[in-house]
Amino acid sequence: MSSTPAYDQLAAASQRLYHFGHLASIARWDQETNMPPGGNEARGAALAELAALMHRLRTEPGLGDAIARAEQESLDDVQRANLREIRREWQQSTALPEALVQARTLAASRCEHAWRAQRQANDWKGFLANFRDVMRLAREEAELLSQLQGVSKYEALMDRFEPGMTCAEVDRVFGDLKAWLPGLVRQAQERQGRETTAMPIGPFSTERQKALCEHVTRMLGFDFSRGRLDVSTHPFSGGVPEDVRLTTRYRDDDFLQSLMGTIHETGHGRYEQNRPRELLGQPVSEARSMAFHESQSLSFEMQIGRSRGFAGLLAPLLVEAFGAQPAFEPDNLYRLLTRVEPGLIRVDADELTYPAHVILRYEIERALIEGDAEPDDIPALWDEKMLALLGRDTRGDFRDGPLQDVHWPGGAFGYFPCYTLGAMYAAQWFAAIRRQVPDLDERIARGDLAPAFDWLRDNIWLAASRWPVEELALRASGERLNPAHFRAHLERRYLA
Amino acid sequence: MSSTPAYDQLAAASQRLYHFGHLASIARWDQETNMPPGGNEARGAALAELAALMHRLRTEPGLGDAIARAEQESLDDVQRANLREIRREWQQSTALPEALVQARTLAASRCEHAWRAQRQANDWKGFLANFRDVMRLAREEAELLSQLQGVSKYEALMDRFEPGMTCAEVDRVFGDLKAWLPGLVRQAQERQGRETTAMPIGPFSTERQKALCEHVTRMLGFDFSRGRLDVSTHPFSGGVPEDVRLTTRYRDDDFLQSLMGTIHETGHGRYEQNRPRELLGQPVSEARSMAFHESQSLSFEMQIGRSRGFAGLLAPLLVEAFGAQPAFEPDNLYRLLTRVEPGLIRVDADELTYPAHVILRYEIERALIEGDAEPDDIPALWDEKMLALLGRDTRGDFRDGPLQDVHWPGGAFGYFPCYTLGAMYAAQWFAAIRRQVPDLDERIARGDLAPAFDWLRDNIWLAASRWPVEELALRASGERLNPAHFRAHLERRYLA
């Protein structure tokens, strides 16, 4: 008989949830890539049924007891880390009354559904009608989680994506960023204003873009025997670690968007493909946090993909795919990959202005959750911050303003910081890699990507959720989150 | 409060199972069409978890009581029919001890997995080692079901696919068939020996075949807003009624196989797409039986798809897709679609020789299940019957002999008769349609397929499982299963 019966019971329960999660992932991937429109309602109902089942399994009576008993069992380090993550998941799942969970899911689903048309129609008023419910329920949830965890309301929501992250920490690193980023953007723009950049001339056939993206994805180490690359309206990385499903979209007038998007998703995908295989099914094998996840996609897209060395690797592939043109000359391609243009849309933003979009959203959503602002205040806050941070006038433009993201209609408050925390972590990882491999850039330029991938695999991917976020950052890079690396990276790329 | 609480409870339970079945269907479809090889193990585990859950839900204590209570409630006709089907499903699910179900699933899965290589290697002995287990467990299952239902052992297995079908009935119609089919095959071959038929000359590009298949599928009324057509190694019709997934496969030296296969699957698909929408989720909305399902695919492929009128519709589409060639001349195309050639492989068989393959399997598997033959006897029985029924010598050729089908390694005893029962029903439906629409063939030749589709929709698709099999046949066509229509159809097509 096992000497850790309670732990084993919990591990078996995790394994079951993992299996059900597999089916949910594949069904959601199919929904975005293959499903004809007429299948939507039935798919939604099937997924809701599975979500309800998984919620019941996560909150089954007796799990709390089993966790308490397992704490007393003789566990090894990995089991103890797994138990920590199991406890965390259990606390998150049982913290909220089922009625609130259902009301929140319904309100978000209604708001998000209507938002798709309201965004097109620039209909802020119509959006507000649904969004007030989403907001009210998010605040209720934040209040309950905040009491339970003894953290602020916004921290309680952020914790779902970034365990242990505090507002003080976000303020520390974003405050740093705000001090130097606007000046850096201005300097980079001035510098780029003096350069001439040849633009790629299309059309670029979907077939060739697809072959190019697959080639580059393979070059970046994605394992196609355990994954795929397909097309969806909104690119994402889904599926399961054993079968990762990346998506992109192709426009025949612009191949760079799909190519760089694919490189970005490949980073997410490799993190998932390289989670510790023998632990799959257990929470300790999950990706550490959403900032860590974004740090992988941004390692691939920003640290590697938009580097001068990688531009040199891409150039001949573009010539092969689309024929020679001035835009594909390596130095020109590098200029294309690092162009700075303050714009209205977060997802289209360049590396340098992206953090401004994130800071704006962080400040507004934090105020909303803490009760320092109301939904009606959003447009004014948005306009003010866009002007201050990016110098753009957005008055009256809700479509490309506060209606542009799915996060708020979907109730995902607390996620936004992860994007820029991830960009910072990515820079921090690459600073650590460079300490070990001083000629990293030359190696990348020669097509030798192994040093970067090996480091990420050993320090991040295989570590999964073995240690708490801050400890993992420390173990991997020798220091906690340090925005100086991000600054140095950006200054080197945009001013040097 | 509801006046039918027990019925409502059962209906809700059916609805839940339907939702889980949706996810299983999509995951299985994905497995055959998209999944990379590395994902197979995790997918298998996830699907097994879901199957175990669904089995628990189907056998939940209290369901039997609820069924008994619902019988006493005041139900309308549709509810009563639904309750009949619910009871039937519950009996089937609870009839077998869980240990037997698991052992059977494992044995079949092991046997089927090994069979794929054993078939290639013509390895009958290796196959037997696993197959004996499959056989033993199938007999155990048949024994239990037979006692429960008071029918013979083979009938008990057949009942899973064709509710209420008896061996006496199969013997009646297959006996009839055996009396005239061999002579008809000979006459048809003699006649065709005097004809000259131009063969299509390839290659036929996958892209054009795909466009052709989609065009024809659309022409046959398949609703692409609630379904798709994709590629898999073994063509099938899967998915859910709200989102039917057809598959085919393309060979560049032969477009007819994929085209006619697609037409076949379209028949299955339209049956599923047109099950009564307001009842989806309830067993009464399920397809009536597997013979009824095959009767739809064969209505599409044989009654319509290989008719002279339809050949006239296809001809210009082939010219458009592949350019003009003598093979595409309508009369020649019709000869291609109706060529008779006794062969070794069931799935490649023509309309006229196909039943011989089915009769052979029926006779052998029935003897196996009833204990009148042992697995070791199969090759001798096979050789003897192939010689008698199709005049082919198959001694020593296990690969294209008893190892050719997935049914036996997978433990699906009792299915085979449904193919030919389906062909008979299809002929019977079209005889009924012709009584209402005497100029049916001229209409089909003009491209007016509505009379056939309308009849099938009103009499078969929308009727779903509203009535028991025999009653539905009677209501639809005015008579129970009558093989005379099949004979008349074949004589008209192959001798007239």
Side-chain angles (χ1 to χ4, degrees):
Chain A
M1 197 190 141
S2 159
S3 63
T4 55
Y7 176 83
D8 294 347
Q9 175 198 335
L10 293 167
S14 294
Q15 195 68 47
R16 284 191 71 199
L17 274 165
Y18 183 70
H19 290 150
F20 290 127
H22 177 126
L23 299 169
S25 273
I26 295 298
R28 277 196 301 260
W29 171 86
D30 180 87
Q31 194 168 24
E32 301 298 326
T33 52
N34 286 317
M35 192 189 71
N40 198 44
E41 203 178 320
R43 182 64 53 87
L47 281 169
E49 187 80 61
L50 186 60
L53 169 77
M54 291 177 74
H55 183 73
R56 275 196 304 280
L57 292 175
R58 286 200 186 94
T59 56
E60 239 169 358
L63 280 181
D65 267 6
I67 290 173
R69 278 182 288 118
E71 311 263 13
Q72 307 305 319
E73 293 176 346
S74 162
L75 305 178
D76 66 25
D77 288 352
V78 172
Q79 291 173 322
R80 201 148 289 285
N82 195 34
L83 183 58
R84 179 193 67 225
E85 298 300 320
I86 288 174
R87 190 192 320 112
R88 180 181 140 72
E89 283 192 4
W90 175 78
Q91 280 169 341
Q92 299 258 357
S93 303
T94 51
L96 305 175
E98 193 151 345
L100 176 58
V101 174
Q102 279 180 2
R104 182 194 61 179
T105 307
L106 264 176
S109 152
R110 194 181 312 118
C111 186
E112 189 181 323
H113 181 80
W115 160 77
R116 293 184 193 279
Q118 285 159 347
R119 187 192 169 194
Q120 295 310 316
N122 200 39
D123 179 10
W124 175 253
K125 237 180 113 175
F127 174 74
L128 263 190
N130 292 320
F131 183 64
R132 284 201 189 91
D133 269 345
V134 174
M135 197 69 241
R136 181 176 52 78
L137 293 162
R139 283 173 174 172
E140 265 186 55
E141 176 179 1
E143 175 70 40
L144 282 171
L145 292 173
S146 147
Q147 286 168 9
L148 186 85
Q149 298 174 23
V151 299
S152 83
K153 287 183 257 183
Y154 184 74
E155 283 168 340
L157 295 190
M158 200 162 46
D159 189 80
R160 300 174 301 173
F161 308 112
E162 197 57 23
M165 183 52 67
T166 63
C167 286
E169 178 75 348
V170 178
D171 287 343
R172 175 178 74 87
V173 297
F174 283 11
D176 181 89
L177 201 58
K178 274 174 88 169
W180 49 263
L181 191 68
L184 184 50
V185 170
R186 258 193 315 277
Q187 285 175 277
Q189 282 195 281
E190 277 166 26
R191 209 183 133 202
Q192 296 190 353
R194 294 189 296 270
E195 296 169 346
T196 314
T197 305
M199 301 303 291
I201 296 160
F204 307 99
S205 86
T206 295
E207 207 175 324
R208 293 191 170 206
Q209 287 192 59
K210 189 167 176 288
L212 173 68
C213 283
E214 284 182 359
H215 182 95
V216 172
T217 301
R218 217 178 287 275
M219 193 169 113
L220 292 171
F222 184 79
D223 180 354
F224 275 97
S225 80
R226 300 187 293 129
R228 294 175 55 94
L229 173 62
D230 295 272
V231 171
S232 70
T233 315
H234 303 282
F236 66 100
S237 163
V240 294
E242 302 91 340
D243 180 2
V244 170
R245 305 288 173 97
L246 311 178
T247 74
T248 186
R249 59 183 161 194
Y250 302 105
R251 285 174 45 172
D252 68 1
D253 61 342
D254 180 6
F255 71 91
L256 263 184
Q257 201 181 49
S258 86
L259 178 59
M260 300 317 290
T262 301
I263 293 173
H264 180 99
E265 299 305 335
T266 301
H268 286 305
R270 286 210 70 188
Y271 193 2
E272 289 296 310
Q273 281 190 332
N274 288 283
R275 285 162 45 188
R277 225 171 281 190
E278 70 287 2
L279 295 171
L280 290 181
Q282 298 306 316
V284 72
S285 80
E286 298 283 330
R288 180 56 283 183
S289 75
M290 292 323 293
F292 267 58
H293 234 307
E294 297 297 338
S295 84
Q296 298 313 299
S297 51
L298 295 170
S299 287
F300 277 60
E301 183 191 350
M302 299 303 176
Q303 296 295 324
I304 297 174
R306 293 184 193 268
S307 71
R308 175 59 184 81
F310 199 75
L313 299 178
L314 280 181
L317 301 178
L318 302 187
V319 172
E320 201 186 310
F322 308 120
Q325 48 175 283
F328 300 162
E329 186 274 322
D331 283 321
N332 188 81
L333 183 58
Y334 180 55
R335 285 196 295 277
L336 281 170
L337 292 172
T338 52
R339 267 199 311 172
V340 176
E341 252 173 317
L344 301 179
I345 307 294
R346 176 183 58 84
V347 296
D348 295 338
D350 57 80
E351 180 179 22
L352 206 49
T353 58
Y354 198 105
H357 292 273
V358 168
I359 292 171
L360 171 151
R361 285 156 178 79
Y362 162 65
E363 291 177 352
I364 296 176
E365 70 177 14
R366 181 178 165 188
L368 287 168
I369 293 296
E370 301 290 356
D372 300 330
E374 293 303 319
D376 293 272
D377 304 329
I378 294 175
L381 289 169
W382 192 280
D383 293 338
E384 174 203 321
K385 287 173 195 293
M386 274 304 278
L387 203 62
L389 288 161
L390 285 166
R392 299 290 303 245
D393 183 353
T394 50
R395 281 172 295 179
D397 184 355
F398 306 107
R399 186 181 184 288
D400 292 341
L403 287 183
Q404 71 182 265
D405 299 302
V406 69
H407 303 60
W408 290 349
F413 301 99
Y415 192 100
F416 280 122
C418 300
Y419 293 113
T420 292
L421 298 175
M424 291 176 171
Y425 276 128
Q428 187 164 331
W429 309 150
F430 273 73
I433 299 171
R434 280 197 181 83
R435 287 196 296 273
Q436 274 183 22
V437 187
D439 61 341
L440 181 72
D441 293 313
E442 293 73 24
R443 292 217 193 188
I444 289 175
R446 287 201 306 268
D448 178 10
L449 305 171
F453 294 153
D454 289 352
W455 190 96
L456 292 172
R457 186 193 61 224
D458 295 342
N459 289 281
I460 309 292
W461 305 339
L462 288 175
S465 289
R466 177 78 174 71
W467 294 284
V469 176
E470 198 169 284
E471 186 178 350
L472 179 50
L474 207 59
R475 283 175 175 267
S477 65
E479 55 190 329
R480 56 196 280 248
L481 179 60
N482 176 3
H485 299 294
F486 188 45
R487 181 178 189 174
H489 157 71
L490 294 176
E491 288 181 346
R492 200 165 50 239
R493 176 166 290 174
Y494 293 94
L495 298 186
Chain B
M1 197 188 140
S2 160
S3 63
T4 56
Y7 177 83
D8 294 348
Q9 175 198 335
L10 294 166
S14 295
Q15 194 69 47
R16 283 190 73 200
L17 274 165
Y18 183 71
H19 291 149
F20 291 127
H22 176 126
L23 300 169
S25 273
I26 295 298
R28 277 196 301 259
W29 171 87
D30 180 87
Q31 196 168 21
E32 301 298 325
T33 52
N34 287 316
M35 191 188 71
N40 199 43
E41 203 178 320
R43 181 64 53 87
L47 281 169
E49 187 81 62
L50 186 60
L53 169 77
M54 291 177 74
H55 183 73
R56 275 196 303 280
L57 292 175
R58 285 199 187 96
T59 55
E60 238 170 358
L63 280 181
D65 268 7
I67 290 171
R69 278 183 286 119
E71 311 264 13
Q72 308 306 319
E73 292 175 345
S74 161
L75 304 178
D76 66 25
D77 288 352
V78 172
Q79 290 174 322
R80 203 150 285 286
N82 195 34
L83 183 57
R84 180 192 67 225
E85 298 299 321
I86 288 174
R87 192 192 318 113
R88 180 181 140 72
E89 283 192 3
W90 175 77
Q91 281 170 340
Q92 299 259 357
S93 302
T94 52
L96 304 175
E98 191 150 347
L100 176 57
V101 174
Q102 278 180 3
R104 182 193 61 181
T105 307
L106 264 176
S109 153
R110 193 181 313 117
C111 186
E112 188 181 325
H113 181 80
W115 160 78
R116 294 186 192 277
Q118 286 159 345
R119 187 191 170 196
Q120 296 309 317
N122 200 38
D123 179 10
W124 176 252
K125 236 181 115 177
F127 174 74
L128 263 190
N130 294 319
F131 183 64
R132 284 201 189 90
D133 270 345
V134 174
M135 196 69 240
R136 181 176 52 78
L137 293 161
R139 284 173 174 172
E140 265 186 54
E141 175 178 2
E143 175 70 39
L144 283 171
L145 292 173
S146 148
Q147 286 167 8
L148 187 84
Q149 298 173 23
V151 298
S152 83
K153 287 183 257 183
Y154 184 74
E155 283 168 340
L157 294 189
M158 200 164 44
D159 189 81
R160 298 174 302 173
F161 308 113
E162 197 56 24
M165 182 53 67
T166 63
C167 286
E169 177 76 348
V170 177
D171 287 341
R172 174 178 74 86
V173 296
F174 283 10
D176 181 89
L177 201 58
K178 273 174 89 170
W180 50 261
L181 191 69
L184 184 49
V185 170
R186 257 192 316 277
Q187 284 175 277
Q189 282 196 281
E190 275 165 29
R191 211 184 131 202
Q192 296 188 354
R194 295 188 296 271
E195 296 169 347
T196 315
T197 305
M199 301 304 291
I201 296 161
F204 307 99
S205 85
T206 296
E207 206 175 325
R208 292 193 170 202
Q209 287 193 61
K210 189 167 177 286
L212 172 69
C213 283
E214 284 182 0
H215 182 95
V216 172
T217 301
R218 218 177 287 276
M219 194 170 112
L220 292 171
F222 184 79
D223 180 354
F224 275 96
S225 80
R226 299 186 294 127
R228 295 176 55 94
L229 173 62
D230 295 273
V231 171
S232 70
T233 314
H234 303 282
F236 66 100
S237 163
V240 293
E242 303 90 341
D243 180 2
V244 171
R245 304 288 172 96
L246 310 179
T247 74
T248 186
R249 58 183 161 194
Y250 302 106
R251 285 174 45 172
D252 68 1
D253 61 342
D254 179 4
F255 71 92
L256 263 183
Q257 200 181 50
S258 86
L259 178 59
M260 299 317 290
T262 301
I263 293 173
H264 181 97
E265 299 305 335
T266 302
H268 285 306
R270 286 209 69 189
Y271 193 3
E272 288 296 310
Q273 282 190 330
N274 289 282
R275 286 163 43 189
R277 225 169 282 190
E278 70 287 3
L279 295 171
L280 289 181
Q282 297 306 315
V284 71
S285 81
E286 298 283 330
R288 179 57 282 184
S289 75
M290 291 322 294
F292 268 58
H293 233 308
E294 297 297 338
S295 84
Q296 298 313 300
S297 51
L298 295 170
S299 287
F300 276 60
E301 183 191 349
M302 299 303 176
Q303 297 295 324
I304 298 174
R306 294 183 193 269
S307 70
R308 174 60 184 83
F310 200 76
L313 299 177
L314 281 181
L317 301 178
L318 303 187
V319 172
E320 201 186 308
F322 308 119
Q325 47 175 283
F328 301 161
E329 185 274 321
D331 283 321
N332 188 79
L333 182 59
Y334 180 56
R335 285 196 295 278
L336 281 170
L337 292 173
T338 53
R339 266 199 312 172
V340 176
E341 252 173 316
L344 301 179
I345 307 294
R346 176 184 57 85
V347 296
D348 295 339
D350 57 80
E351 180 178 25
L352 205 50
T353 59
Y354 198 106
H357 293 273
V358 168
I359 291 171
L360 171 150
R361 287 157 178 77
Y362 162 66
E363 292 178 352
I364 296 176
E365 70 176 13
R366 182 178 163 189
L368 287 168
I369 293 297
E370 301 290 356
D372 299 331
E374 293 304 318
D376 293 271
D377 304 329
I378 294 176
L381 289 169
W382 192 280
D383 293 337
E384 173 204 321
K385 288 174 193 292
M386 273 305 279
L387 203 61
L389 289 161
L390 286 166
R392 299 289 304 244
D393 183 353
T394 51
R395 280 172 296 177
D397 184 355
F398 306 106
R399 186 180 183 288
D400 293 341
L403 286 182
Q404 71 180 263
D405 299 302
V406 69
H407 302 61
W408 290 348
F413 302 98
Y415 192 100
F416 280 123
C418 300
Y419 294 114
T420 292
L421 298 175
M424 292 177 171
Y425 276 128
Q428 186 164 331
W429 309 150
F430 273 73
I433 299 171
R434 281 197 180 82
R435 288 197 295 274
Q436 274 183 23
V437 188
D439 61 340
L440 182 73
D441 294 314
E442 294 73 25
R443 292 217 195 189
I444 289 175
R446 288 201 307 269
D448 178 11
L449 305 171
F453 294 153
D454 289 352
W455 189 97
L456 292 172
R457 186 194 59 224
D458 295 343
N459 289 280
I460 309 293
W461 304 340
L462 289 174
S465 288
R466 178 77 173 75
W467 295 283
V469 176
E470 197 169 285
E471 184 176 351
L472 179 50
L474 208 60
R475 283 176 175 265
S477 64
E479 54 189 331
R480 56 196 278 249
L481 180 59
N482 177 2
H485 299 294
F486 188 46
R487 181 179 190 173
H489 157 71
L490 295 176
E491 289 181 345
R492 198 165 53 238
R493 177 165 289 173
Y494 293 93
L495 298 186

